Amino acid sequence: MTTVLGCIADDFTGATDLAGLLARSGVRVSLRIGVPSEPPQDTGPFEVIALKSRTAPVHEAVAETRAALAWLRAAGAQRFFWKYCSTFDSTEDGNIGPVAEALMDDLGTEQTIYCPAFPENGRSIFMGNLFVGQQPLAESPMKDHPLTPMRDSNLMRLLSPQVTRPVGLADRLTVARGAPALRARLDALKEEGVAHVVVDAVADEDLTIIAQACRDMPLMTGGSAVAMPLPALYLADGTLPAGATKGQTPDIARETIVLSGSCSAMTNAQVAAYIAQGAPAYQLDPLTLSQTGAAPVLDWIAAQDLGAAPLVYATADAQSVKSAQEALGVVQAGVLVEQTLAACAVAARDAGARRVIVAGGETSGAVTQALGVTQLDIGAEIAPGVPWTFCRSGGHQIALTLKSGNFGAPTFFRDAQDRLDAL
Ligand code: ADP
């Protein structure tokens, strides 16, 4: 099917977040990890390409994103969405503006919008200033982010040094007057030569109005939430045929492996809850791993009944993580754990596991790579922002869910299995 909306996300969990929100409407959404090396084939109405460019130097991010755009155009898309973080993770030499400008040049379009708001998750924009909950961005914990410390909350000021053309604002008072008023404001700004327009949004209603006003722009940019109303709008006016809705959920065997490499507070609670429910569990300790290698855990998996959905976890509290990092080095400890969990995923799949539940953003990257997964079809949501996905690995169809750090309820590992059983 011709692709109606081509989306490019600057990181992997951002791509799953966007794909999950688009799929809420019931349309088919396909996610690809990196720019596919093959020309488009069997594409869906909504294609999302996940890049790893959030903190990449400008020239690299621009080149990668343009390659993604070219692939999506070859798939037939005429409208595009550039997705970045709802905290606009991008400092003065960040790449959000340069990437948007390069995409605009390739598409020959004079104007785009910037709307990272995600009211459901506490991200709102008022008078061009981004808030995280009740705090301005620059007073939120984002001010101390290790890679992208955000020291200004004003999106126009953040964007201006990154782009060559003028930056402007369509404020909340305009948005509140509805889609035609917003459209008129955007047109007036275009007359003045304003190419980059920050658009205020403090509630979901604002996002619907923005989507209505901007749905036919060649390029929209923002967080995932402003894209969420688009499928329903395209279905309503026939841009998207009614048959674009998802097919049947595939029947996937019950053998399951749960792999947890996240050390977030929520994942610690989820691991504890799952063990308390009596799940078979194996704890990975990075120090022991550095001496024994993966053999003991792989032997353990081989001896398991995968019907009981065993758990392998490196999840630990902050103190244990710190001492492992001091002994092995931060990167080394992380890589050791990620590679071991990735090897566990392959071993479990080869032993018959067809449902794979993964906790941790980096861990998810390592697992998908080891499983050779490059394309996922988005299925039912287990928790906000965490869908089941269906993909092929080692000649088998498998169900895979990838949960980043703080997502999901404490009962997530069980919830995921129940959700798939209920489909
Ligand atoms: P999150 O989504 O919570 O950030 P990630 O998987 O992205 O989770 O990051 C967690 C990182 O911590 C990974 O690199 C993982 O390998 C590493 N890690 C997991 N357990 C431990 C541990 N016990 N000691 C040190 N590092 C660990």
Side-chain angles (χ1 to χ4, degrees):
M1 182 183 288
T2 302
T3 299
V4 170
L5 185 71
C7 306
I8 306 166
D10 69 353
D11 85 340
F12 182 72
T13 42
T16 29
D17 168 20
L18 172 63
L21 291 188
L22 290 170
R24 272 189 192 176
S25 62
V27 297
R28 241 186 87 198
V29 180
S30 159
L31 192 162
R32 301 182 192 257
I33 303 172
V35 183
S37 49
E38 303 289 318
Q41 234 188 355
D42 189 27
T43 50
F46 290 83
E47 289 283 341
V48 181
I49 294 182
L51 301 179
K52 222 177 160 181
S53 57
R54 182 162 297 171
T55 51
V58 166
H59 66 281
E60 269 176 39
V62 165
E64 253 195 279
T65 319
R66 291 183 64 206
L69 178 75
W71 191 91
L72 292 165
R73 289 179 100 175
Q78 294 183 349
R79 301 172 187 80
F80 301 89
F81 190 84
W82 159 233
K83 194 267 172 204
Y84 38 80
C85 190
S86 61
T87 43
F88 206 79
D89 299 16
S90 190
T91 54
E92 202 158 295
D93 39 34
N95 62 45
I96 291 179
V99 164
E101 216 157 57
L103 295 176
M104 288 168 78
D105 289 346
D106 282 3
L107 292 168
T109 184
E110 290 165 16
Q111 193 180 61
T112 190
I113 62 150
Y114 295 79
C115 185
F118 196 160
E120 205 179 318
N121 282 351
R123 315 285 195 259
S124 56
I125 310 168
F126 187 66
M127 296 301 160
N129 292 278
L130 183 59
F131 290 80
V132 177
Q134 298 185 346
Q135 293 173 312
L137 177 66
E139 292 171 32
S140 78
M142 281 303 295
K143 70 181 190 304
D144 300 317
H145 190 281
L147 301 175
T148 49
M150 301 309 290
R151 301 281 160 81
D152 195 341
S153 308
N154 186 292
L155 294 175
M156 284 94 76
R157 276 201 304 263
L158 285 166
L159 203 51
S160 291
Q162 294 186 3
V163 291
T164 61
R165 276 161 261 163
V167 176
L169 172 70
D171 70 23
R172 159 86 175 131
L173 302 177
T174 306
V175 174
R177 296 209 317 271
L182 175 56
R183 200 50 269 161
R185 170 72 178 149
L186 291 170
D187 287 344
L189 287 168
K190 199 192 268 184
E191 288 287 301
E192 293 167 24
V194 176
H196 306 279
V197 186
V198 172
V199 185
D200 278 355
V202 299
D204 283 344
E205 296 77 54
D206 299 335
L207 297 178
T208 306
I209 289 168
I210 296 166
Q212 281 166 344
C214 302
R215 37 156 300 154
D216 287 323
M217 278 181 134
L219 178 69
M220 288 172 66
T221 88
S224 52
V226 73
M228 189 165 58
L230 292 172
L233 294 172
Y234 296 150
L235 274 170
D237 74 355
T239 303
L240 201 60
T245 45
K246 270 182 280 203
Q248 291 274 309
T249 299
D251 207 5
I252 306 273
R254 296 180 60 92
E255 280 69 26
T256 304
I257 186 82
V258 185
L259 303 166
S260 181
S262 158
C263 296
S264 71
M266 182 51 85
T267 309
N268 269 284
Q270 288 161 340
V271 165
Y274 196 54
I275 293 171
Q277 285 174 342
Y282 186 103
Q283 182 173 19
L284 292 176
D285 166 44
L287 281 175
T288 315
L289 257 186
S290 69
Q291 285 151 15
T292 63
V297 65
L298 297 179
D299 289 346
W300 184 81
I301 289 174
Q304 293 306 300
D305 166 14
L306 294 172
L311 161 73
V312 178
Y313 67 104
T315 305
D317 60 27
Q319 192 50 48
S320 317
V321 173
K322 197 162 166 251
S323 46
Q325 288 175 335
E326 275 166 8
L328 300 169
V330 175
V331 174
Q332 190 55 27
V335 168
L336 191 60
V337 168
E338 285 166 33
Q339 285 178 352
T340 306
L341 288 170
C344 290
V346 174
R349 178 203 63 195
D350 292 344
R354 297 292 175 264
R355 302 176 178 196
V356 181
I357 299 171
V358 187
E362 292 299 323
T363 310
S364 294
V367 168
T368 46
Q369 196 172 16
L371 289 176
V373 170
T374 54
Q375 193 258 326
L376 310 107
D377 282 325
I378 308 302
E381 231 175 354
I382 304 158
V386 200
W388 268 111
T389 71
F390 303 99
C391 51
R392 295 204 66 82
S393 172
H396 306 282
Q397 181 158 50
I398 64 166
L400 180 64
T401 185
L402 307 164
K403 182 198 85 77
S404 69
N406 278 313
F407 283 34
T411 50
F412 177 81
F413 296 135
R414 177 60 53 199
D415 295 347
Q417 297 169 55
D418 292 347
R419 187 82 183 93
L420 201 52
D421 287 340
L423 294 175

